[in-house]
Amino acid sequence: MPYQHILVAVDLTEECDPVVTRAQKLAKASGAKMSLVHIVEPMAMAFGGDVPMDLSMLQQQQFEQARERLDSFTGKYPELTADQRHLAYGQPRQEIHRLAEEQGCDLIVVGSHGRHGLALLLGSTANDVLHGAPCDVLAVRLKKGEKGA
């Protein structure tokens, strides 16, 4: 059965272009709607959650910068309308799963560097998204230095 709604999770770097391209091809082949999401992680998560100062102003600036980068990134994909571009704040796995459920997505597409060893043990966003996902997950393998086609 073909997919109906594909959610593409991106970090807004050029490395994401092959991920978006793969999702576009899948969407076109199955006649699916495609949406894109970028997650802004709370700064406190980067510092282990114990920060002795108020980060709200910095967090707001980070969110605004992410919005600008999302607008710039999606400029390469004019077929993505405003309601197909999402910016969320929180833990990536949880936010991607939440949005996939809210939007009725039946496929999540993420990029994966295919790391091994310690990085594999610690987990990656792609690995996190896979566990507990409300739908199918496609991890697009990224090669070092690979950019969009």
Side-chain angles (χ1 to χ4, degrees):
M1 192 164 133
Y3 292 110
Q4 302 295 309
H5 192 169
I6 299 170
L7 179 63
V8 187
V10 294
D11 65 3
L12 302 178
T13 63
E14 286 187 10
E15 278 189 326
C16 290
D17 288 334
V19 179
V20 176
T21 300
R22 175 74 60 88
Q24 283 179 312
K25 288 177 182 174
L26 275 169
K28 187 174 182 181
S30 62
K33 175 181 178 179
M34 186 176 99
S35 294
L36 192 127
V37 63
H38 173 68
I39 311 299
V40 177
E41 289 188 71
M43 288 183 165
M45 286 176 70
F47 296 108
D50 191 24
V51 183
M53 59 207 248
D54 181 15
L55 296 174
S56 57
M57 287 292 288
L58 285 173
Q59 200 73 62
Q60 185 60 37
Q61 288 176 341
Q62 182 188 25
F63 199 80
E64 291 306 318
Q65 288 173 348
R67 184 173 305 288
E68 289 171 15
R69 286 180 32 228
L70 178 65
D71 290 343
S72 175
F73 182 85
T74 55
K76 297 183 274 188
Y77 308 101
E79 65 280 358
L80 285 172
T81 61
D83 70 323
Q84 292 172 280
R85 293 177 278 171
H86 304 277
L87 187 60
Y89 176 79
Q91 199 273 338
R93 178 187 65 188
Q94 292 172 351
E95 291 304 310
I96 292 166
H97 289 177
R98 180 191 58 76
L99 188 62
E101 284 184 24
E102 276 180 15
Q103 298 288 315
C105 298
D106 47 5
L107 177 65
I108 298 170
V109 179
V110 294
S112 174
H113 291 280
R115 292 186 175 102
H116 300 288
L118 189 58
L120 187 62
L121 268 177
L122 296 174
S124 66
T125 299
N127 188 43
D128 277 354
V129 170
L130 178 62
H131 297 287
C135 59
D136 291 350
V137 176
L138 171 64
V140 177
R141 175 85 184 221
L142 298 174
K143 296 175 183 72
K144 281 190 176 172
E146 180 178 347
K147 293 190 179 166

